[in-house]
Amino acid sequence: MSKLVHVTSNSSMKTLLNQNTYVIVDFYADWCGPCKVIAPIYEQLAASETKPGRIAFAKVNVDSAQDVAREYGITAMPTFLIIKNGSVINTIKGANAAALRTAIMAASADAAKLPAKSGSGGASGAAFTSGGGRVLGTGGAPAASGGSMLDRLGIKLGGGSTGGGSTGGSGANGSVSVPGGLAGTVVRFVGLYLTTLLSFDAYKAAEASPLAVRQAAR
């Protein structure tokens, strides 16, 4: 299985650099004869020396990823760059297998002494991870922090009963009651939709909303 990463843009190159201490890059072209000659040697070194988080191997097609080639000033193919912590520390131009092997083995030995970088997104992605499906009114109490979007906007709506017959007007505490029947259903649907649409945790926001229908305890 190939350990080579095919870089197609400056952004994907930046991601690879952030995830590894060393990145070895082969700038090549499909029409380049010397590139084809040394390619198997480079692939063999990549297969044996790749160490996730420490050293990674990449290939850049200078014709399809011209922005990356320009970023590193590539004028000849093949060109191999040894990059450590985002900075180029060695350049090998041409199909010089001996020089390439020496440079890669030196980088690999140094990388083995260093801690691996972490490429995971960590907690930053957790806020957008959806939990399992739950039915409103059947779970535990909603989180105290945040509240619903309607609460944050200072809008208070009366809960209304699950059956028909609740009429509009002001309640004892100044809240507005939700009508029963079809009209009440529409009001609840729209209110809950707007509440969950603008919340990171749709379930908690809907559960905390005064429009949520609570199931009676059995």
Side-chain angles (χ1 to χ4, degrees), residues 18-205:
N18 288 337
Q19 293 176 343
N20 298 275
T21 301
Y22 276 92
V23 176
I24 318 299
V25 190
D26 171 16
F27 288 88
Y28 74 101
D30 291 333
W31 44 263
C32 169
C35 297
K36 296 178 181 179
V37 171
I38 200 169
I41 298 173
Y42 182 66
E43 292 174 5
Q44 183 182 32
L45 288 167
S48 63
E49 301 304 324
T50 293
K51 299 176 181 67
R54 290 184 171 89
I55 182 168
F57 292 76
K59 288 180 74 73
V60 177
N61 187 316
V62 298
D63 291 322
S64 60
Q66 296 182 19
D67 56 335
V68 183
R70 283 195 298 268
E71 178 72 18
Y72 289 93
I74 303 302
T75 57
M77 281 71 68
T79 292
F80 297 90
L81 299 184
I82 312 297
I83 304 175
K84 180 181 180 181
N85 292 324
S87 300
V88 177
I89 63 171
N90 199 355
T91 301
I92 300 98
K93 293 186 178 181
N96 189 334
L100 178 63
R101 185 182 299 275
T102 299
I104 288 177
M105 296 309 294
S108 179
D110 184 41
K113 304 173 185 176
L114 304 173
K117 287 187 177 181
S118 173
S120 63
S124 62
F128 299 94
T129 302
S130 175
R134 290 174 286 182
V135 179
L136 289 177
T138 61
S145 62
S148 70
M149 181 60 65
L150 293 176
D151 291 337
R152 291 196 291 272
L153 293 175
I155 300 174
K156 301 292 184 181
L157 296 177
S161 62
T162 56
S166 177
T167 59
S170 298
N173 61 356
S175 62
V176 180
S177 299
V178 176
L182 178 61
T185 300
V186 172
V187 169
R188 291 180 187 281
F189 175 81
V190 173
L192 288 172
Y193 174 76
L194 293 175
T195 298
T196 57
L197 182 65
L198 301 175
S199 302
F200 284 118
D201 191 324
Y203 173 80
K204 288 183 180 179

